[in-house]
Amino acid sequence: MHQDFERLDDAAELLRQARRVVVFTGAGISAESGIPTFRDKGGVWDRFPPEEYATPHGLLMKSRTEPERAAAFAYGLLQPIAAAEPNAGHRAIAALQDHCDVSVVTQNIDGLHQDAGSKIVWEVHGSTFEIVSASGRHMWRVSRDEVQEIVAELETMLAGEFDAMKAFAAIGRMIGAKDGEFYRPSIVLFGEAMAEPDWSEAVDAAGVCDCMLVVGTSGLVYPAAMLPEMAKSAGASIIAVGPEEGIADVWLTGAAGVVLPALLRAAYSTPD
Ligand code: NAD
């Protein structure tokens, strides 16, 4: 991936001056952990169009009419997340806490910022690991290990003879019904409201930060994509990191796992 560090010192200066920083991340921060972004060829969204699979109605219909396809989608979505570990980009964001007040606002559902050690993480599109009722009430959490076990069971079923009932049982810790109430991961599907209280917290944090560090997001998914605009109009500086240049006070071109550790070194003279 092309790297352009020309403006690294400008970005480092903006970061150093900031007391309150919001790090706003998208799928790109986790690409180097092996989780495909929306746009990646061959990724889950390429094989399972989001307009068909990432809506509550679409997903329910697929489970009833084409359970094997629905199970393949669940496998495709969960497998990379279950296997993933934080990368150098996640770790650099966690290390930023040693230097200023940091709130991480992520569109991701993969739990990797928390695994890297970030303390304040607002998951505006929900989480794979938090199981909620149809009305959004928290029910329980599943661990990455549990998701790995589910993925392994689905893999065996999809490779052999597929049995819809066994597939439903395998995924029963994450999706099903209990005491007449439907439950599932808190992932925000298309057409659904943003996750709360995370979205309100994210909006508040964007309104009072001195600097927003935008990492690995195409800026195409609304309303999340409004956050940098909100921060900018409240007076924050915007530093952005990603492979294709876009709008920011300083844009650092390159992979998050390379650019972010370099930015921290430049801002605070820290080792990796
Ligand atoms: P997106 O897929 O639309 O865009 C990803 C962006 O990351 C692109 O601009 C791409 O150029 C950039 N990118 C790719 N590799 C990068 C790298 N190594 N370093 C820095 N940037 C890199 O993702 P989005 O804007 O987050 O929006 C898509 C939606 O999909 C989000 O709502 C998110 O919830 C969901 N999603 C989540 C995950 C996850 O949890 N890891 C993965 C895929 C999609």
Side-chain angles (χ1 to χ4, degrees):
M1 191 182 286
H2 170 69
Q3 317 279 348
D4 180 0
F5 284 45
E6 216 174 277
R7 300 204 59 200
L8 192 65
D9 289 341
D10 297 339
E13 185 55 29
L14 289 175
L15 196 57
R16 209 171 21 241
Q17 283 169 7
R19 206 165 51 82
R20 279 185 288 217
V21 175
V22 168
V23 185
F24 175 48
T25 65
I29 183 75
S30 297
E32 290 155 87
S33 292
I35 305 175
T37 71
F38 257 7
R39 295 150 160 223
D40 277 327
K41 280 271 162 281
V44 65
W45 301 115
D46 201 29
R47 288 175 287 136
F48 302 94
E51 53 284 5
E52 263 181 68
Y53 286 86
T55 69
H57 178 72
L59 202 51
L60 210 58
M61 284 303 286
K62 287 285 171 199
S63 320
R64 291 179 59 180
T65 57
E66 292 177 75
E68 189 164 359
R69 277 290 283 164
F73 166 69
Y75 174 79
L77 182 72
L78 296 177
Q79 189 278 331
I81 293 177
E85 291 180 5
N87 63 53
H90 297 105
R91 288 195 294 275
I93 291 168
L96 194 57
Q97 292 167 159
D98 297 341
H99 307 281
C100 49
D101 291 344
V102 181
S103 301
V104 177
V105 175
T106 189
Q107 299 167 81
N108 296 342
I109 55 171
D110 57 32
L112 291 178
H113 285 298
Q114 293 92 329
D115 284 5
S118 284
K119 293 195 184 91
I120 300 179
V121 182
W122 303 116
E123 297 172 303
V124 296
H125 288 163
S127 168
T128 302
F129 304 98
E130 187 196 17
I131 308 302
V132 293
S133 69
S135 59
R137 184 168 51 85
H138 172 86
M139 297 189 81
W140 59 79
R141 286 190 70 84
V142 288
S143 66
R144 205 176 293 276
D145 285 349
E146 284 176 278
V147 180
Q148 257 167 18
E149 283 166 25
I150 291 167
V151 163
E153 283 189 59
L154 287 177
E155 188 169 291
T156 308
M157 279 177 212
L158 288 164
E161 205 159 306
F162 184 77
D163 179 328
M165 292 316 287
K166 281 190 185 154
F168 282 128
I171 209 164
R173 275 289 288 161
M174 297 182 79
I175 301 171
K178 189 170 186 268
D179 305 328
E181 202 174 15
F182 181 64
Y183 59 83
R184 65 165 171 98
S186 66
I187 301 169
V188 173
L189 300 174
F190 280 100
E192 291 188 312
M194 300 293 271
E196 289 291 359
D198 297 55
W199 174 242
S200 299
E201 295 282 359
V203 169
D204 288 351
V208 296
C209 66
D210 312 307
C211 176
M212 182 175 275
L213 180 56
V214 181
V215 186
T217 178
S218 58
L220 297 175
V221 180
Y222 277 83
M226 281 160 38
L227 291 172
E229 296 163 24
M230 286 178 188
K232 183 76 194 154
S233 54
S237 57
I238 311 290
I239 303 168
V241 177
E244 301 132 27
E245 189 147 344
I247 298 165
D249 292 316
V250 180
W251 189 284
L252 300 173
T253 308
V258 178
V259 175
L260 290 174
L263 177 59
L264 253 78
R265 275 195 304 273
Y268 309 110
S269 310
T270 52
D272 281 346

